[in-house]
Amino acid sequence: MSIKSIKENEFETEVANSDLPVLIDFWAEWCGPCKELSPILEEIASEMDNKIKIVKLNIDENPSLPNQHGVQSIPTLIVFKEGKPIATKIGGAVKSEIVSWINTLI
């Protein structure tokens, strides 16, 4: 499964109503660490596609959702289960660290 870019108005459909836990990658085009994290998340999305759904949300185009969830720095990863945030990870990380983090949550 590849990563889908979502808009704030898709949160209900893509995140809150998802049968799987959802990891939202809050990012921006100008963010270097966000760009470094992107291929890592693509790999994880394809390897864990039946366990977790990964979506991206551009904070410049969708400012209210990041504000709602206290995103002050990017990249910020937030895992949602049944539409509620259950864990947050801020900053870049290596693949093994992100996979371990996800596995403790799902």
Side-chain angles (χ1 to χ4, degrees), residues 11-52:
F11 179 83
E12 195 72 27
T13 308
E14 296 292 334
V15 181
N17 296 332
S18 176
D19 293 335
L20 293 173
V22 180
L23 183 153
I24 299 182
D25 173 20
F26 292 90
W27 73 287
E29 192 65 45
W30 47 264
C31 169
C34 298
K35 290 179 181 180
E36 292 172 15
L37 192 58
S38 195
I40 294 169
L41 293 176
E42 284 287 348
E43 280 182 36
I44 294 169
S46 65
E47 292 168 7
M48 301 183 83
D49 70 344
N50 60 343
K51 297 179 182 169
I52 192 164

Side-chain angles (χ1 to χ4, degrees), residues 50-68:
N50 60 343
K51 297 179 182 169
I52 192 164
K53 177 178 177 178
I54 301 177
V55 298
K56 296 174 81 68
L57 186 115
N58 185 314
I59 64 161
D60 290 333
E61 297 170 1
N62 304 278
S64 70
L65 200 57
N67 287 339
Q68 222 176 319

Side-chain angles (χ1 to χ4, degrees), residues 60-81:
D60 290 333
E61 297 170 1
N62 304 278
S64 70
L65 200 57
N67 287 339
Q68 222 176 319
H69 293 287
V71 174
Q72 297 180 350
S73 173
I74 55 172
T76 291
L77 306 176
I78 301 179
V79 174
F80 291 80
K81 213 171 200 174

